[in-house]
């Protein structure tokens, strides 16, 4: 990183605060940072993911905080650009853990800023559960449980629940697959269902039947144990902390 780039990186938090107070006066500066982001990402791709990630991480979070103030500019495509990056699971798996986590955090922030819908974000997050990255899985699972609870308060969101449970069933159905990523995603999916049941959100017969069926799984013993503990009323203290995951 050059001396100018280092100075620029140090100024990003200050520029972020200025934009939040008076976005119109700093449109040019914002546009320059968005151009820096595009260039930094292109450079990272050309270098095969080596070097420059800390600079890119700072830009990713800066844009996640400030893009909502510039919805009518070219930067409005930033949320979708970020999600498409996260959908490239092979590329995401090659990133450093720090950059991977930063991208996920930025996507979650954009959801809170209403720049991304939960319906658009959910399938992206479920795919990330396949990664051998404990921090990302914990981040994703915690967000899904909390946001799905919020989306169902005070009234149940029937349409959303149907869609999400469909994704969960998909992962559970693939739990016999010998692929470790799919097996891990299945465990996380069951944890999510159980957590939402215990929070009084998904208490219907369909949810209980899906969880119960996992108790018959002979190839994924983690699923069977989670299911049986749920059925006999045992509270797994690790179910909300990624304790059922052995890999990191």
């Amino acid at each position: 990183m050059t001396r100018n780039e280092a100075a620029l990186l140090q100024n990003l938090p200050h520029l972020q605060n200025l934009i939040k107070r008076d976005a119109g006066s700093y449109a040019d500066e914002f546009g320059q940072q968005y151009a820096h982001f595009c260039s930094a990402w292109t450079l990272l791709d050309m270098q095969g993911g080596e070097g420059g990630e800390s600079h890119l991480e700072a830009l990713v979070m800066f844009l996640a905080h400030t893009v909502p103030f510039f919805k009518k500019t070219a930067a409005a495509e930033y949320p979708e650009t970020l999600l498409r990056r996260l959908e490239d699971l092979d590329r995401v798996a090659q990133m450093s853990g720090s950059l991977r986590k930063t991208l996920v955090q930025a996507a979650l922030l954009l959801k809170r800023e209403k720049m991304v819908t939960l319906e658009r974000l959910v399938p992206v997050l479920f795919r990330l559960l396949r990664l051998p990255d404990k921090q990302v899985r914990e981040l994703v699972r915690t967000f899904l449980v909390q946001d799905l609870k919020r989306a169902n308060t005070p009234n149940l969101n029937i349409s959303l629940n149907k869609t999400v449970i469909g994704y969960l069933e998909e992962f559970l159905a693939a739990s016999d697959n010998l692929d470790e990523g799919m097996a891990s995603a299945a465990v996380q999916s069951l944890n999510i269902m159980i957590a939402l049941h215990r929070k009084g959100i998904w208490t219907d017969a369909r949810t209980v039947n899906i969880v119960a069926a996992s108790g018959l799984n002979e190839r994924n013993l983690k699923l069977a144990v989670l299911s049986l503990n749920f059925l006999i009323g045992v509270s797994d203290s690790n179910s909300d902390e990624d304790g059922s995951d052995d890999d990191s």
Side-chain angles (χ1 to χ4, degrees):
M1 185 185 303
T2 66
R3 183 176 299 179
N4 287 338
E5 287 175 331
L8 183 63
L9 182 57
Q10 292 174 356
N11 287 332
L12 284 179
H14 179 57
L15 178 57
Q16 178 179 311
N17 289 331
L18 291 174
I19 288 174
K20 288 184 176 182
R21 290 202 296 263
D22 184 9
S25 297
Y26 297 94
D28 289 342
E29 289 82 354
F30 170 82
Q32 290 172 2
Q33 299 310 318
Y34 184 68
H36 280 301
F37 161 76
C38 296
S39 299
W41 200 286
T42 299
L43 182 60
L44 188 71
D45 284 340
M46 292 173 61
Q47 294 176 337
E50 298 181 0
E53 287 195 351
S54 61
H55 184 205
L56 182 57
E57 287 173 25
L59 287 168
V60 165
M61 291 308 298
F62 167 79
L63 290 173
H65 281 283
T66 55
V67 159
F69 296 94
F70 299 96
K71 296 179 181 179
K72 295 183 180 181
T73 69
E77 66 186 21
Y78 174 70
E80 187 60 29
T81 297
L82 198 65
L83 292 179
R84 287 198 299 268
R85 288 286 183 173
L86 286 172
E87 285 176 326
D88 187 350
L89 211 58
D90 290 336
R91 180 70 183 86
V92 173
Q94 295 171 2
M95 296 175 182
S96 69
S98 178
L99 178 57
R100 189 161 48 234
K101 184 179 179 181
T102 298
L103 293 180
V104 175
Q105 289 173 324
L108 302 187
L109 176 58
L110 289 167
K111 162 60 181 62
R112 289 195 292 273
E113 295 292 340
K114 298 182 180 180
M115 295 292 290
V116 174
T117 65
L118 187 58
E119 289 79 2
R120 174 68 180 94
L121 186 58
V122 161
V124 177
L125 296 182
F126 274 119
R127 284 174 56 83
L128 294 174
L129 291 175
R130 297 177 57 182
L131 294 171
D133 186 324
K134 189 172 183 177
Q135 285 190 325
V136 166
R137 288 198 305 265
E138 184 175 355
L139 187 63
V140 167
R141 189 178 61 214
T142 299
F143 170 82
L144 285 172
V145 171
Q146 293 177 347
D147 229 55
L148 287 169
K149 179 181 179 181
R150 190 177 299 112
N152 281 279
T153 305
N155 300 312
L156 292 179
N157 189 327
I158 304 299
S159 176
L160 176 63
N161 291 340
K162 183 178 180 180
T163 299
V164 175
I165 291 176
Y167 286 119
L168 292 170
E169 281 188 295
E170 209 173 286
F171 281 112
L172 290 171
S175 61
D176 287 340
N177 193 310
L178 294 178
D179 178 79
E180 290 185 9
M182 288 302 297
S184 176
V187 171
Q188 307 312 316
S189 298
L190 191 61
N191 267 325
I192 291 169
M193 295 194 82
I194 291 173
L196 287 168
H197 182 278
R198 286 176 176 157
K199 291 180 183 296
I201 304 301
W202 289 352
T203 57
D204 57 290
R206 180 187 180 189
T207 299
V208 175
N209 289 337
I210 292 172
V211 175
S214 297
L216 303 175
N217 194 302
E218 298 179 352
R219 302 187 68 179
N220 192 328
L221 294 182
K222 289 182 181 179
L223 282 182
V225 171
L226 278 173
S227 172
L228 295 175
N229 282 344
F230 168 79
L231 292 174
I232 63 177
V234 174
S235 178
D236 183 357
S237 61
N238 291 326
S239 65
D240 292 331
E241 300 175 359
D242 217 24
S244 59
D245 250 333
D246 292 333
D247 55 301
S248 60

